[in-house]
Structures are given as structure tokens and as C-alpha cells.
Amino acid sequence: MNVLCLGVSHQTASVEIRERFAVPETRLPEIALEIGALPGVEEAVIVSTCNRVEYYAASGNAPEALDALRCYLQARTPQTFPLRPGESEPFYTLSGPASIDHLFRVVSGLESMIIGETEILGQVKKAYAAASRAGSTSRHLNKLFQRAFNVAKEVRTRTSITRGSVSVGSVAVDLAERIFGNLSRCRVMILGAGETSELTARALLSRNVRSLFVSNRSFDRAAQLAAQMGGEAIHFDQWDQRFSDIDILVSSTAAPHPIITGEKLSPIMKQRSDRPLFVIDLAVPRDADPDVNRLEGVYLYDIDSLQAIADRGLENRQREITQCEALIARHVGDFYQWLTAGPGTPPVHLPVASRKI
Amino acid sequence: MERLLLILSTICFLLGFAYTAYLLRKGRHRHSRFNLCVMGIGFGLQTWFLHLRGQAIGRCPLTNFFEILIFMSWSIVLLYLLIGPTYRLSLLGAFTSPLVCAFQIVALLAPIDTVHALGARPDPWLEMHAALSIIAYGAFAMAGVAGVMYIAQERQLKNHRLGSFFYEMPPIMHLAVANTRLLWAGLILLSVGLLCGFMVNAHLNAYKIGWGVIMWCLYLAILVARRLGPRRVALLSVGAFSLSLTALLGLNFMIERVRL
């Protein structure tokens, strides 16, 4: 028995190509059944996300199954992507330990656009559940995917691959949680309804902040954004009057000089000595005077400092890859041994060679 | 047997500290049960030691500086085990264990386990006074530990230099709350301890009582002046505990000298 993987991903194909092969979630069971019925294919699971479309198959005759898979894809997308016989690009085709290794890497987030992200695990779980419900999986793929989920869990707990944040929005949310703990009691104010501040506010809203105020020079834009996010719009000349209630301020106005100054904050901070204030300044030129960070209880982060933390987070994750790979290689060896020799055989640790057929 | 128990408990705390320090250094700290387990075992051994010592002398084992240090270590670990999981301050163990280790190593190495002539029957008010006061100092020690953690966390947040254990530390607001609550707990225990002291029939050491009252006033002032902000409260709780420890050391040293 062999495990095959045929797919396209953000590493091998542009979004124009990937979108032609994407399978809607509702059609996953149906397509999985069609794949499972192809000559040489005994079991099938389809993983389709915005960054990858992959067909996993268990087969007793790998060359026959791969030909059938290619023909199937050619038939399915004749106009949009005509595949000639024998043409494999932009698809990668993996078999044996390489395909097992690939799945384990995918679920662990090592193949993701943002290394270590965990959303992919949920997406693969959904894809497997859809295939399982449709009856296109059996002993081999059931075991493979269950093992993959265990590997992902082990990678997450035994390495720091998911640690730290790698985007400005997630860094801001992480820092807010390091300051306030649970954000459900926090009040957020957005000053200047720009795109980055909107994204950051949305990231904070995903943690169920208590309330949101939006203030912008154009009140209509503030009202529009407030309505979209379930917040309250405030006239721009009144934002500082609501300031004493705020825990997190996200600022990105087009003001040519600092509008958040020590003179403005100092009296407010004296009234709320045991409540910190987190100022996220995303504007260039900056909205907050850097000296504000010297006030007790005020934590000021500008766009550069947030980006620097995100970059360090990414570097840390990249450093963890080797450890993740060693851990995955052990599981690949175990699983491949089981797959080729059957259960009950003692596990061996095989080196994983990335090979294409 | 007694000292062996104490050595073993010190090894437990050292192990806990070394393991956490190793994980932090590697940047791989996780909320494992190992630290809690070794602290629990160390606490069990401490309790066993205090029980044996109490049986041997027929009263609460607070008759010399050696016993005071062990009793204080015991109360610190007790508070850690009680509040650590409640406030999810698991990393508190990394800061608590070195303090407890230091106390126990000093107790084991310094020639302070002196035997004194004791009265036939212990006064229960005196026992309560001594035990509650030492547990209060345990609470102040934990407040100091929370204060150190607050200052470390604040420093990282202000300087934008997020170290390997930044993400493992409790949120800074939780640390401020824990710090204040521990100070209140310590103050209440010290108040009851001092009241018990006034009920004792025998003559008490005036320096010790006087110092207890001064510390009570100092901690009350820190709590009343909370408007100073959590940073200053954290700094003051560290300073006040260092002062009380130094004074306790000095006073007991003086008393031992007088006895000799």
C-alpha cells in the first residue's frame, strides 16, 4: 500500500492557478467519492484551502492511481487549465514517506504562508471529516490523518513554532493580553479610520472587547466603520473627552504633528492610576509623542516597534523548523513502517527524502 | 533524620528552579506540572520536618532563627501552592523557589540552630503570635515576588524588548492585583498576630514587638497610598520585604548574642 499526494500550493502556483482547482467545502465529500472511485485509488481525502488544494490517496498501484488523478483533473478543468498527458507542473506529486512527511508538515503549519499558523489544522480536520463522512476513507487514510493530527499537537506542544506573533495585528492583540489579561472588559477607541487600524481593531474585536468607539475627521466614515464593527461613532473634536474610559487606543490619523501628548494624557492617567493604557500608534507621521511612553501605566507601540516584534516572532519560528522536522521525521518513519509492513511491526526511524515520482 | 528531610526539600526546590530556568533559557517554558509537583513534595518534606521538630520541643517550632527561617519558607511555599494556581501565576514558582532555597541553605549551613531553655508549658497566645506573624511575612515575601515579576514585565513592555519568558508571565494587571491582595493578606495576618502578642502573659521582646508595629505601619501606608500607582507599590513591596528580612535577621542575631 502506498500514500500519494498530488496538489498545488502557494509555493508552486499563483492564486490564478490555485483558484481554478479549489473545491468548495460543500463539494468535498462528492469529489472525494469520485476520486476514491478512480482506477488504482482505494481511499481519498481532498484538502482545499486558499493556499493549497491537495488530493491524498491510498493506493496499491501508485503509477495507475497518479495517471487516473491527472486525467481526472484534466477532465475537470479542461478550459481553465489544460493539462497535457505527462505534464505535472504546477502540481507536485509525492508518494511514500515524502507524501506522509508532506501531510505532517502541512498540518503542523510548516508549509503555511505564515509558518506555524494553526488554522490549517482545523481546515485539514474538516476536510478529513468530510471525506470520512462520505465514506471515501478507510484503514490507511484514517490512520494517516489521525496520526497527522497527533503530530501537529506534538509539534505545537514540544516546540515553539506557534509562539510569538508574526503580524502587526496579532502582535497588538498579544500585547493587549499581556497587559490586561482577558480583553472582555476593555474599551477600545479607533482614532482615524484607516485600513491598518481597522484590521487591528478587528483583531481586538475577535477577543470580545467590551466596547468600541470610532472617531475620524470625516464623521460619516467613522459612523460607517462603527456600524460595521458594532461600535459607537464619536465626533473628532470630542475624542479626548471620552478618553478616560479607554483601555486601548488604536491611532492612525493623517495629522502632521502628534495629537496624543503627555500634557493630554498626564491628568487622565493620574485619575486612573491602577488601569493601564495601551496606545497603538499606526500613523506615519506618528500620532503619539514618544515621551508618552514615559508616563506610568502608558504602553506606547508605534508601527515600527510592532513590526520589529512581528519580525522577531517570524525569526524565532524559523529557528524552530529544524526541531519540528526531526520530530516529524520520527513519526514518518513509524507510519511508513506500519504502512508497508502492517501493524505490530516494531517502529524504525527512516530518513525522509523528498521525492517526486 | 530532621536535617535529611530539610536537605531533600531544598533539593526539590532547587530542581524546580533549575528546570524552569533551563526551559526559560531555551525559550520553551510550558505550563508543566513538574514545578508544582516538586514544590508540593518539597512542601510535604518541610511539613514533616516541622512536625518532627514540634514534637521534639513540644511547641510550635519557632524557638530560634533556624526554625523561623524554615517556618517562613514553609509559609511561602504554602501561599505559592494556594495562590499560584488560583491566579494562574505558575511562573511564580520560578521566582519563589530560589527565595525558598536561599532561606533553607542559610538555615542548613549557618550555625543558628541553637537550643534554648524553654518553659514547661507553651503559651498558646505566644504560639499564635509567632506563627501568624511568620505566615504574614510569608505573604509579604510572595507580594515581593509578585512585585519583582511586575517590574520585570513592565520593563519589557516599556522597552519593547520582549524576552524569552515574556509570553509566559501573567498579564501585568493580574500581577498588580496579586501584589495588592498579598499585601492585604499579609497585613491582616500581621494584625491578628500582633493582637495575639498583646494577649501573651509573659514578657515579650520589646524590640521584636516594636519592629512588628513599625512593619505593620509601613505596609498599611503602602496599601493606603495605592494612588501612587502599581509600579511604586511593586517597588515598595520589594523594598519593604527586603527591609523586614534584614531587620528580622539583625534582631534575631542580636537576641542570640544576648542569650549567649
Side-chain angles (χ1 to χ4, degrees):
Chain A
M1 184 56 66
N2 205 338
V3 173
L4 312 171
C5 171
L6 190 145
V8 284
S9 75
H10 64 100
Q11 290 156 325
T12 61
S14 65
V15 68
E16 288 81 17
I17 294 173
R18 292 201 308 273
E19 67 191 3
R20 292 175 204 169
F21 295 95
V23 180
E25 204 177 316
T26 49
R27 292 198 65 203
L28 282 175
E30 173 199 334
I31 306 285
L33 275 176
E34 283 178 20
I35 300 282
L38 293 174
V41 178
E42 290 172 28
E43 301 169 43
V45 174
I46 301 157
V47 176
S48 180
T49 71
C50 53
N51 283 329
R52 65 185 63 251
V53 182
E54 289 177 340
Y55 295 81
Y56 289 91
S59 168
N61 185 346
E64 186 188 13
L66 277 171
D67 281 345
L69 266 169
R70 284 200 191 98
C71 288
Y72 175 85
L73 289 172
Q74 200 168 12
R76 199 172 157 247
T77 54
Q79 277 82 43
T80 53
F81 194 80
L83 289 174
R84 288 184 295 276
E87 186 182 44
S88 61
E89 293 298 333
F91 284 100
Y92 40 83
T93 49
L94 306 163
S95 93
S99 61
I100 300 162
D101 178 63
H102 180 75
L103 176 64
F104 290 178
R105 288 177 65 91
V106 167
V107 291
S108 304
L110 300 190
E111 297 288 331
S112 297
M113 205 174 260
I114 297 169
I115 295 165
E117 60 95 9
T118 52
E119 200 185 342
I120 184 68
L121 178 60
Q123 290 168 326
V124 175
K125 275 184 176 173
K126 272 188 186 169
Y128 166 68
S132 179
R133 273 199 306 275
S136 70
T137 64
S138 187
R139 188 172 157 228
H140 300 98
L141 287 193
N142 283 342
K143 183 132 178 135
L144 174 69
F145 277 81
Q146 294 299 342
R147 175 65 77 95
F149 302 145
N150 288 337
V151 170
K153 189 179 169 191
E154 199 176 327
V155 164
R156 222 191 284 184
T157 52
R158 293 188 60 182
T159 74
S160 303
I161 195 74
T162 57
R163 185 186 238 187
S165 306
V166 292
S167 71
V168 167
S170 56
V171 168
V173 172
D174 259 4
L175 286 169
E177 285 180 333
R178 291 296 94 205
I179 295 168
F180 300 100
N182 190 339
L183 300 185
S184 61
R185 288 182 182 179
C186 291
R187 293 184 175 95
V188 180
M189 180 185 274
I190 304 177
L191 207 54
E195 193 186 343
T196 322
S197 59
E198 186 186 330
L199 284 172
T200 309
R202 283 193 191 282
L204 289 165
L205 276 174
S206 71
R207 305 295 166 103
N208 303 318
V209 293
R210 186 174 163 186
S211 52
L212 180 82
F213 303 98
V214 184
S215 185
N216 194 53
R217 283 193 197 278
S218 152
F219 184 74
D220 289 346
R221 171 69 183 132
Q224 186 193 352
L225 192 60
Q228 277 174 18
M229 295 201 279
E232 184 188 332
I234 297 170
H235 285 281
F236 197 70
D237 52 353
Q238 290 171 357
W239 70 266
D240 47 353
Q241 291 164 25
R242 303 294 293 270
F243 208 65
S244 55
D245 299 333
I246 299 304
D247 300 295
I248 303 169
L249 174 70
V250 183
S251 180
S252 68
T253 74
H257 52 78
I259 55 170
I260 304 157
T261 58
E263 292 81 44
K264 209 170 259 179
L265 287 193
S266 190
I268 297 169
M269 292 312 294
K270 274 180 190 157
Q271 286 167 12
R272 42 179 285 173
S273 58
D274 49 1
R275 267 175 58 217
L277 175 69
F278 181 30
V279 182
I280 304 164
D281 183 2
L282 303 169
V284 180
R286 287 176 292 180
D287 282 340
D289 182 347
D291 283 345
V292 159
N293 196 41
R294 290 188 189 166
L295 292 175
E296 189 178 343
V298 178
Y299 302 101
L300 169 66
Y301 283 75
D302 61 30
I303 186 78
D304 276 6
S305 44
L306 291 172
Q307 190 60 56
I309 295 167
D311 291 346
R312 278 202 296 276
L314 194 61
E315 280 168 25
N316 288 341
R317 287 185 182 198
Q318 277 163 343
R319 275 202 294 272
E320 287 297 304
I321 289 176
T322 316
Q323 207 200 344
C324 296
E325 283 173 340
L327 202 151
I328 286 171
R330 209 178 65 237
H331 284 283
V332 172
D334 283 353
F335 187 82
Y336 191 63
Q337 175 74 16
W338 175 85
L339 190 70
T340 51
T345 315
V348 291
H349 303 314
L350 297 176
V352 178
S354 221
R355 65 188 174 93
K356 289 185 177 182
I357 61 171
Chain B
M1 175 68 176
E2 278 184 5
R3 287 185 85 81
L4 180 67
L5 291 173
L6 216 50
I7 290 165
L8 288 175
S9 80
T10 311
I11 291 170
C12 282
F13 300 131
L14 268 173
L15 270 176
F17 174 59
Y19 179 68
T20 316
Y22 166 76
L23 289 178
L24 288 176
R25 200 176 154 79
K26 288 269 178 193
R28 295 195 209 299
H29 182 266
R30 286 181 299 278
H31 296 280
S32 73
R33 288 190 183 155
F34 180 80
N35 214 0
L36 203 65
C37 282
V38 287
M39 292 291 272
I41 295 167
F43 177 74
L45 292 165
Q46 278 179 324
T47 312
W48 192 358
F49 164 82
L50 288 171
H51 169 73
L52 290 180
R53 178 58 70 106
Q55 291 229 312
I57 59 174
R59 64 194 66 210
C60 185
L62 284 164
T63 59
N64 61 25
F65 191 46
F66 169 81
E67 289 167 6
I68 288 172
L69 276 179
I70 303 303
F71 200 89
M72 197 189 285
S73 303
W74 177 84
S75 63
I76 291 170
V77 181
L78 173 71
L79 285 162
Y80 163 73
L81 293 173
L82 288 176
I83 71 149
T86 311
Y87 290 105
R88 301 171 79 190
L89 303 181
S90 64
L91 203 65
L92 210 59
F95 290 78
T96 308
S97 45
L99 183 70
V100 173
C101 279
F103 280 5
Q104 296 204 169
I105 289 168
V106 169
L108 282 165
L109 296 181
I112 50 174
D113 192 10
T114 46
V115 181
H116 303 299
L118 301 166
R121 287 179 60 195
D123 184 334
W125 288 114
L126 182 65
E127 303 254 285
M128 283 283 281
H129 157 73
L132 286 174
S133 303
I134 295 298
I135 295 173
Y137 282 109
F140 291 141
M142 288 299 284
V145 168
V148 169
M149 288 172 77
Y150 180 95
I151 294 159
Q153 186 78 326
E154 202 224 16
R155 202 180 163 83
Q156 295 191 80
L157 278 166
K158 282 276 186 193
N159 296 341
H160 304 171
R161 291 198 189 102
L162 314 181
S164 63
F165 61 95
F166 174 79
Y167 291 101
E168 308 304 334
M169 294 268 268
I172 197 160
M173 260 183 82
H174 291 195
L175 286 169
V177 170
N179 188 15
T180 312
R181 286 187 183 169
L182 282 161
L183 287 174
W184 275 115
L187 190 72
I188 292 166
L189 286 166
L190 188 62
S191 308
V192 180
L194 284 172
L195 285 174
C196 292
F198 293 124
M199 307 292 282
V200 177
N201 270 329
H203 170 73
L204 283 178
N205 186 300
Y207 292 114
K208 271 191 176 177
I209 288 286
W211 186 252
V213 173
I214 290 170
M215 289 315 296
W216 186 88
C217 293
L218 177 63
Y219 277 109
L220 182 69
I222 294 172
L223 283 165
V224 169
R226 274 179 58 210
R227 288 194 59 149
L228 291 169
R231 184 172 183 273
R232 286 190 186 89
V233 171
L235 280 168
L236 284 170
S237 63
V238 177
F241 180 68
S242 310
L243 184 70
S244 64
L245 193 66
T246 314
L248 196 70
L249 234 149
L251 274 172
N252 279 280
F253 180 73
M254 271 170 50
I255 292 164
E256 293 287 326
R257 295 270 299 193
V258 169
R259 277 176 173 167
L260 288 171

